[in-house]
Amino acid sequence: MKRYLAILLAAIVLAACSSTPSMKDMTVRMGDTDSIQITDMRSLMRNGVLTAQVTIQNDSKSNLVAYRFKWIGKNGMAVTDEEAWKPVTIGKGQSTVIMGIAPTPDATDFRFELNQYK
């Protein structure tokens, strides 16, 4: 009986872990952004609205990058039009925390899009 419960518990833990996307899966890179590292990514529901927090670090000489959030509903579809790109300046070796708040309570997930600043 103990063995059966241990196997069942292991299966549940593996299923829960496999359904959580990684930071890499939640990041869409465009342009030359390889030197920008995503070091942390979190989200929570606050007052019924999804809030995201992403920490990025710059390992390159260039200090300009642009970002935006893509807000996704429970059906996997985007819930709003694309946001405008937002530029951010980060010195070499520096990091910054970027916050995003979903524009609608329909958002249950997000993707963080990163692009060269143009």
Side-chain angles (χ1 to χ4, degrees):
M1 184 67 166
K2 284 184 180 181
R3 185 175 182 189
Y4 173 74
L5 288 174
I7 291 170
L8 181 61
L9 180 60
I12 291 170
V13 168
L14 287 174
C17 291
S18 65
S19 65
T20 304
S22 68
M23 289 190 301
K24 184 176 179 179
D25 293 337
M26 294 182 68
T27 304
V28 178
R29 291 178 177 268
M30 300 171 201
D32 184 16
T33 60
D34 292 339
S35 61
I36 304 296
Q37 306 304 316
I38 311 295
T39 59
D40 190 38
M41 188 177 286
R42 302 167 187 258
S43 64
L44 61 85
M45 294 298 279
R46 183 177 290 153
N47 297 324
V49 178
L50 183 63
T51 301
Q53 175 181 299
V54 180
T55 305
I56 62 175
Q57 180 175 329
N58 181 13
D59 294 331
S60 78
K61 294 178 187 175
S62 173
N63 59 1
L64 293 173
V65 68
Y67 72 92
R68 65 183 178 191
F69 289 92
K70 180 176 183 179
W71 302 103
I72 302 170
K74 62 182 171 184
N75 61 2
M77 303 280 291
V79 295
T80 60
D81 293 335
E82 287 185 343
E83 291 183 350
W85 289 103
K86 299 170 186 84
V88 63
T89 303
I90 312 168
K92 181 177 181 174
Q94 300 294 309
S95 64
T96 190
V97 175
I98 297 171
M99 300 289 292
I101 300 173
T104 173
D106 295 332
T108 58
D109 200 2
F110 71 96
R111 295 297 174 266
F112 181 71
E113 298 182 339
L114 194 60
N115 199 355
Q116 279 180 282
Y117 184 73
K118 298 176 182 174

